[in-house]
């Protein structure tokens, strides 16, 4: 019951994110995401918080309750970043980055990312981002080194 409530809360945040995104930068939304994952508010993401959030995200993305997230479900979730991409004229770049991330998550290449696959991806992203290897991510590590944040930032960055 608690997991389902958290999943609905996560889904509600994802649905509300486009309206919020119109008033925020990518960095602001990434910080909001960090704070959402940081369940105990200690400014450090633990593996347990990562795993709990991953379960909630999978539940909120899997709209057809098939047990797997297809590409459309993944692309439509976006935590509000798609709205920012639209506003910046970087929708194509953002969609491309999102498709690449999805392909990395779909380990068996069957067109459906399961909770297990997303968990494996998040575990690898967490390990890479944990630069000081202390077992928890700081906000800086999350923003600067997490695979999804790296891809999103680059997709939304204007060409110089």
């Amino acid at each position: 019951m608690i997991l389902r409530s958290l999943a609905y809360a996560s889904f509600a945040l994802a649905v509300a994110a486009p309206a919020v995104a119109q008033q925020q930068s990518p960095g602001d939304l990434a910080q909001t995401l960090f704070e959402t994952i940081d369940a105990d508010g200690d400014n450090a993401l633990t593996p347990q918080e990562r795993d709990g959030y991953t379960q909630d995200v999978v539940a909120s993305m899997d709209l057809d309750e098939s047990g797997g997230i297809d590409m459309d479900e993944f692309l439509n979730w976006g935590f509000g970043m798609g709205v920012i991409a639209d506003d910046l004229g970087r929708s194509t770049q953002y969609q491309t980055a999102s498709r690449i991330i999805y392909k990395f998550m779909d380990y068996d290449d069957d067109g459906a990312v399961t909770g297990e696959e997303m968990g494996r991806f998040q575990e690898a992203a967490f390990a890479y981002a944990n630069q000081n290897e202390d077992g928890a991510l700081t906000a800086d590590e999350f923003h600067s080194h997490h695979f999804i944040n790296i891809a999103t930032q680059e997709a939304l960055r204007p060409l110089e």
Side-chain angles (χ1 to χ4, degrees):
M1 184 64 170
I2 291 173
L3 179 59
R4 185 170 296 272
S5 296
L6 289 172
Y8 289 133
S10 180
F11 177 71
L13 182 57
V15 170
V20 173
Q22 292 175 350
Q23 301 165 4
Q24 293 190 331
S25 71
D28 292 338
L29 281 180
Q31 181 59 31
T32 300
L33 178 58
F34 178 87
E35 292 167 2
T36 300
I37 299 168
D38 184 19
D40 63 9
D42 68 351
N43 293 314
L45 303 183
T46 64
Q48 294 80 13
E49 289 170 323
R50 174 204 66 218
D51 293 346
Y53 185 73
T54 298
Q55 290 175 0
D56 294 344
V57 167
V58 168
S60 69
M61 282 185 182
D62 187 14
L63 296 177
D64 63 5
E65 298 181 0
S66 66
I69 302 160
D70 64 32
M71 180 72 78
D72 288 336
E73 288 170 323
F74 183 76
L75 292 175
N76 288 319
W77 195 79
F79 201 72
M81 292 294 185
V83 173
I84 292 174
D86 290 344
D87 289 347
L88 295 173
R90 307 279 299 162
S91 295
T92 301
Q93 294 83 349
Y94 178 73
Q95 287 282 323
T96 299
S98 295
R99 288 175 182 278
I100 291 168
I101 291 166
Y102 181 87
K103 292 300 280 182
F104 280 129
M105 285 184 192
D106 188 9
Y107 285 93
D108 61 8
D109 199 30
D110 69 350
V113 173
T114 64
E116 181 181 330
E117 287 173 314
M118 186 173 290
R120 286 178 58 194
F121 175 83
Q122 289 293 0
E123 186 175 338
F126 189 95
Y128 178 81
N130 189 215
Q131 297 290 295
N132 65 7
E133 299 179 356
D134 68 350
L137 294 188
T138 64
D140 182 59
E141 288 172 325
F142 179 74
H143 296 305
S144 301
H145 300 289
H146 191 281
F147 299 154
I148 294 174
N149 287 327
I150 292 168
T152 300
Q153 289 171 29
E154 288 305 311
L156 299 178
R157 186 182 321 279
L159 298 176
E160 297 175 9

